[in-house]
Amino acid sequence: MTEVNRPPRPGGWTRFVTARPRLSLLAALVLTALAVLAGSGVADRLGSGGWEDPAAESTYATKALEREFPDSQPNLLLLVDSGRSSVDAPAVAAEARSLATRLAGEKGVTGVGSYWQAAPSAAAALRAEDGHEALIAARITGDEKEMGRTLDRIAPSYRGTHGPLKVRVGGVVAVRHEMQTIIQEDLARAEMIALPVTLVLLVMVFGSAVAALLPLGIGIVAILGTNAVLRGLTEFTDVSVFALNLTTALGLGLAIDYALFVVRRFREELASGAEPLTAVGTTLRTAGRTVLFSSLTVAVSLAAMLLFPQYFLRSFAYAGMAVVLLAAAAALILLPAALVLLGHRVNALDLRRAFRRGRPAKASGEEGTAWARAATLVMRRAPLFAVATTVGLVVLGLPFLGVKFGTADDRQLPSGAESHIVQQHIRDGFPGSPGGGLEVLAEGRASQAQYAAYKQRVAALPEVARVDGPLVKGESAYFTVLPKGEAVDDAAQRLVGDLRAADAPFDTKVTGTAAVLVDSKHAIAEHLPWAAAFIAIVTLLLVFLLTGSVLIPVQAVVLNALSLTAMFGAVVWVFQDGHLSGPLGFTSSGSIETTLPVLMFCVAFGLSMDYGVFLLSRIKEEYDRTGDHNEAVRHGLQRTGGLITAAAVILAVVMVAIGTSRVTNTKMLGLGIALAVLMDAMVVRSLLVPAIMRLTGRATWWAPAPLRRLHERIGLSEGEAAPPAAESEEQRDKIGARH
């Protein structure tokens, strides 16, 4: 009898994790301290661009123009406001010329030109229509970090009042630099919001301050470790500053998800009478396997962004994969060590005890009865819930059919940002837009007559307002083509195609804002099928290994994709069409940045799979134990419904904190994913999944014999090892007779 009741010896992984828990935690503390040092200053090494395809024609032309004609693409603009005077007044003109001359002498600045120095054909585009504003244009040289340092050095001496002039600093360099600064400030504020709110929610979920601190600690370790990884990557490749937001969001969100799942299972095992070491072993064999599968599915979704050429998307893959895997590693290594040391003290500082005095404690079987009743109701009316939920999600996603893709520009910034003000003045008051035109690079020997003939053909195109140039240097030349409409509207994008198709006696390459957008859209469209196939195939494989079913992986992929419709519909309705722009504090540009839907899909799909694995693993465990399909679905939702909802609410809080950013793309990312997470947890997992699984019945678990044998050989699940086949069938017969 004693032999039967003796706690099982820890298995290999459990023994490795729990053999020296104090040493494990000390090593983690040392590694975290090293990560803090390694990751310090990471934000200063990150870029604010990365939307262009490095292999595109526009990228080649941009680099060639920077090399051969550095004056051709001004990235710094000084908006000169003469107040009530005309910009042609002698005193105004003299002071403006003095500023331009001084700017030309600055180190790292080239190609300075201004309204007061330009040829008559180009001067009109540099003067506001009301005659009270004009522009000084220049180019800051160097890479993105060098340009930022140069701007910091020179901007204070030009910004402000100079005699009769008031000067504001704008241009692409100023927009990107201001965006980077604001993102860093907003991220710090988001962390200050998210951490205390998350701690309060965790205390409410666990009822224990000690248990609540564990997930928060795991999240901090994951974030600090990822910052160190990103800092290392900046030595080899470009990384976007926007990736820091994902690091914080997923670091806190997923670490809390995984720790919630592990700590919850550990407390269940303690409540059933297990000793702490035995409870940790059972937790790792069950919840630990689920965390492992969950982290792999999320990492797979994020890894798909590596298939795209834009470093903006690749940066999110770097950050996301690192933080997911670090969060899972911390939850599977550090957390079990801490639980072994804490033991029953994990329930210490129970802040709900006072509210339970005088009331009987809930039996473990009563836990989640509301979710069990909800599951029973949904399965009883499965066709109604399946159809109604599906139709509702599709309707919410309909606005996405009207999506318009654009580029990230100054309108990403708050309306009071200086560079946004400058660009808005140019859009509203100037007949032309420096930096908003298209540049045509001509390579190859040509005569003046051939250049003139080409210029005439281009000027005759229907969307062309004016053609300037050519400026010739050796066997290279360039033309500047000004579209009639906005810099990146549909007409400007059509003009890119017309310019590339125009006959020329030399090789031509087109660049400019609209050309970069056209090439970026082409790169996304070319790589998107491969990324989608990668996510789908690997997800199908992972879910099959978890469940042994052929149908469940297909259901998981389809329902996860369906859960994202509300997010995409809201993105267009709110951020493209401008609804709620006032309360949310952003300026709508009338389009969605091209790479953002890809990013949001990969992140939100991965998080949906995260919750899907939590639910499916518990359903599979119960099905393996009882063989009763409907009871397994009901039990799985009963055991995980509250946990998934709590995890989703906590992650949504973190994403909403990120969504308080003053940069529109970050706001869109945070609020959009928060909506997707809540819809997935509260609608798809609570209503649609049990309804669909009820309709598919026992066929849900079917697999062809070869695949069934493959799963028996290499598959994993959350439950304990299955009983012998004969015993399993006998148990299932008894259960079937009872029901």
Side-chain angles (χ1 to χ4, degrees), residues 263-285:
V263 174
R264 173 73 171 270
R265 188 61 182 250
F266 176 73
R267 296 176 82 189
E268 285 183 12
E269 296 300 323
L270 288 183
S272 67
E275 292 299 318
L277 189 59
T278 304
V280 167
T282 303
T283 298
L284 285 175
R285 289 192 300 274

Side-chain angles (χ1 to χ4, degrees), residues 239-300:
V239 181
S240 172
V241 68
F242 286 92
L244 285 181
N245 296 288
L246 188 67
T247 297
T248 296
L250 292 186
L252 281 177
L254 288 178
I256 287 170
D257 284 358
Y258 299 154
L260 270 174
F261 209 61
V262 170
V263 174
R264 173 73 171 270
R265 188 61 182 250
F266 176 73
R267 296 176 82 189
E268 285 183 12
E269 296 300 323
L270 288 183
S272 67
E275 292 299 318
L277 189 59
T278 304
V280 167
T282 303
T283 298
L284 285 175
R285 289 192 300 274
T286 55
R289 291 175 180 174
T290 300
V291 167
L292 177 62
F293 266 91
S294 175
S295 63
L296 290 176
T297 56
V298 178
V300 163

